[in-house]
Amino acid sequence: MEMRTGGVKRGVADKAVLAALFLALALWGGLPLRRHRHHDIPIVKGPGVTRVFRLSEYSPGLKGTTADTFVFELRGREPGGKALLIANTHSNEPEGMLSAIIFLENAVVEKGTLYIIPVFNNSGSRATRPGDGYPLYFDIATDWGARRFRFGNRDASPLDQWPDPDVYIHYPDRQLLSYIDVRNTNRTWPGRADGPLMERVTFGAMELMRREGIDVAIDIHGAETMFPVTNCIVAPESSVRIATMVAMTVKAMEGFENHVEPSPAGFRGLSHREIGDHGPSLPFLLEAPIPFLDQPTGPKTVEFLLDGKDPFLLSLSAKGKLFVPYDESGWPIEKRVGQHMSVCLEIFRQFSRKSADRPIAVSGVPRYADVAENGVGRYLADPSKAAPGDIVMN
Amino acid sequence: MIIMIAYYLMTAFLLGLLIWNFVRARDRRGDLVLYLLVMLPLLLRLLRWK
């Protein structure tokens, strides 16, 4: 009897130790993810920001959800055309968000109005991909210290939209897309007011464009060097002439390649297709090469994210397997952000030439050569020096 | 939203079953570890950490 009691006690002790070990494992792995999800980044309202509001003003179904996000309005000194910059549609492509933040912390709009959504997929920016070894944060060096940003995932967090369907049936075309695209804000355009959460995000942006009469919509991304649609401007029929002018101008005047890719009419849900088909705006989707997203690379470190240097890609480049030139200098973040800055400014300029009655003129922001030479950090504001009312925690 | 709540309830139910089996399981440590491994993602989802 005594032996049996001793055995039971040992069994209970075993279970308690094992349960404690696993609980410690859950805490060790889970708490950093929880902190990342709730870590807000400060964005400083620049001299041109005239209003900050939430996307739920245009899509009430977002109210109170993690998918709701901030929209910055920069109203110009003179009337003119209207443009919308969308960044972090995919939150693992940070050059878009950095470009948007440089715009809203530095830009002064002379003519027209600029709307900026720096973190379009707010839910995705609070998720990660631990299986791929993604870092949770990255720092950009500045003159006054490092500025920290969340590094997110391509798709929204399942904590905000769960479960995924077996197949995502796109609205309204009913095209069958991959199940995971239901959480991809570059497959859920044009969205629905009462659809899945990510459809409500894209619906909010569509409503903003429709109600405000946005002329130009730019969705800023990054793409793998092994993916054919990279280092380019994707444009549908309606905006391809402007895109072509932009591509030729930046190559001739600023010395970098950014070719034009046509937006396929049969592939639904993408911003460069649906924005033009369902609203008044001319859509453009910008892609800069981001080696970090390629699969056959070394470890996914912050250093690699920022400098884009990888020996495996270098070897593949020698074998002609990449779609962009690639050498020992990699594809640094300065080059990627600089390209986006110049291409956005050139789109505004070309649009203004074509629509002289609706000009969009922006000053105070750097172009490709400035960012490539001075770094991204030079153009980021110091939140500690900003007045509390000028900081938006996103 | 209703489907999401239903999935959370199913997760809680499954986790309850696994805890019950873990408590009642005999001495085989391999089984205990397997129960805990299966519980881990369910627990992280219920806590809304992952």
Side-chain angles (χ1 to χ4, degrees), chain A residues 267-325:
Chain A
F267 188 4
R268 308 310 304 192
L270 295 129
S271 63
H272 52 75
R273 170 51 46 192
E274 306 292 352
I275 286 176
D277 287 0
H278 294 272
S281 318
L282 295 174
F284 301 87
L285 185 145
L286 314 188
E287 298 278 17
I290 167 170
F292 184 93
L293 295 185
D294 282 294
Q295 286 304 321
T297 69
K300 305 286 191 189
T301 61
V302 171
E303 192 184 8
F304 177 34
L305 172 69
L306 298 180
D307 67 18
K309 291 179 189 170
D310 183 77
F312 298 98
L313 289 181
L314 200 56
S315 156
L316 287 166
S317 174
K319 293 181 173 72
K321 302 291 184 194
L322 307 188
F323 287 92
V324 289

Side-chain angles (χ1 to χ4, degrees), chain A residues 4-268:
Chain A
R4 196 176 160 205
T5 314
V8 170
K9 276 186 184 165
R10 200 176 60 241
V12 171
D14 274 0
K15 283 179 190 171
V17 169
L18 275 174
L21 275 174
F22 270 80
L23 202 58
L25 193 65
L27 286 168
W28 182 57
L31 280 178
L33 300 177
R34 187 183 184 281
R35 273 197 295 271
H36 173 258
R37 180 169 162 80
H38 296 278
H39 178 90
D40 288 333
I41 55 165
I43 294 177
V44 181
K45 285 195 265 177
V49 176
T50 46
R51 190 165 82 99
V52 183
F53 57 94
R54 285 186 177 270
L55 194 59
S56 53
E57 275 191 27
Y58 292 85
S59 180
L62 289 176
K63 204 163 273 180
T65 72
T66 312
D68 201 1
T69 191
F70 286 106
V71 185
F72 295 77
E73 181 194 88
L74 289 76
R75 194 167 286 276
R77 293 168 177 156
E78 293 176 40
K82 293 180 177 178
L84 170 66
L85 289 187
I86 299 170
N88 253 26
T89 296
H90 295 147
S91 302
N92 56 349
E93 298 161 11
E95 40 280 304
M97 178 187 64
L98 293 169
S99 307
I101 290 176
I102 289 177
F103 263 102
L104 66 89
E105 290 187 347
N106 297 276
V108 173
V109 179
E110 309 291 347
K111 293 176 186 170
T113 305
L114 189 55
Y115 294 88
I116 301 174
I117 307 178
V119 186
F120 188 55
N121 190 343
N122 194 34
S123 169
S125 80
R126 294 166 189 277
T128 184
R129 222 183 275 186
D132 279 13
Y134 270 26
L136 295 175
Y137 310 93
F138 64 95
D139 292 329
I140 296 289
T142 73
D143 298 338
W144 43 266
R147 187 154 157 194
R148 172 155 287 201
F149 297 93
R150 281 191 310 275
F151 185 65
N153 196 6
R154 178 179 170 89
D155 310 299
S157 170
L159 294 179
D160 302 310
Q161 188 179 302
W162 187 51
D164 295 329
D166 290 337
V167 173
Y168 172 45
I169 302 170
H170 174 259
Y171 174 84
D173 292 279
R174 301 194 63 77
Q175 187 171 62
L176 302 184
L177 300 175
S178 164
Y179 75 97
I180 204 161
D181 285 335
V182 75
R183 287 188 278 122
N184 178 351
T185 44
N186 200 24
R187 295 295 182 278
T188 58
W189 295 90
R192 280 175 282 194
D194 57 352
L197 197 56
M198 293 307 112
E199 284 193 2
R200 287 181 248 162
V201 173
T202 48
F203 175 80
M206 284 305 310
E207 278 297 283
L208 172 71
M209 287 182 256
R210 286 188 283 247
R211 286 194 226 164
E212 301 300 332
I214 303 284
D215 300 289
V216 169
I218 306 175
D219 186 12
I220 314 175
H221 287 251
E224 297 89 337
T225 59
M226 295 183 77
F227 185 58
V229 186
T230 190
N231 205 29
C232 62
I233 308 167
V234 188
E237 304 77 5
S238 57
S239 43
V240 76
R241 284 187 67 176
I242 292 179
T244 306
M245 286 304 296
V246 170
M248 289 196 302
T249 309
V250 295
K251 186 171 184 186
M253 306 298 289
E254 303 189 54
F256 67 86
E257 189 84 45
N258 213 230
H259 69 279
V260 177
E261 285 280 345
S263 165
F267 188 4
R268 308 310 304 192

Side-chain angles (χ1 to χ4, degrees), chain A residues 4 7 10-11 14-16 18-19 22-23 25-27 30-31 33-34 37 66 128 130 158-163, chain B residues 1 3-5 7-8 11 21-27 29 32-34 36-37 40 43-45 47-50:
Chain A
R4 196 176 160 205
R10 200 176 60 241
D14 274 0
K15 283 179 190 171
L18 275 174
F22 270 80
L23 202 58
L25 193 65
L27 286 168
L31 280 178
L33 300 177
R34 187 183 184 281
R37 180 169 162 80
T66 312
T128 184
L159 294 179
D160 302 310
Q161 188 179 302
W162 187 51
Chain B
M1 182 54 95
I3 298 171
M4 192 170 177
I5 292 167
Y7 265 67
Y8 274 100
T11 306
N21 281 342
F22 176 79
V23 169
R24 287 178 59 89
R26 297 285 176 180
D27 286 348
R29 279 191 190 157
L32 297 178
V33 170
L34 287 177
L36 288 165
L37 274 175
L40 207 53
L43 180 70
L44 290 174
R45 179 55 54 93
L47 291 170
R48 291 183 56 76
W49 288 359
K50 178 75 183 85

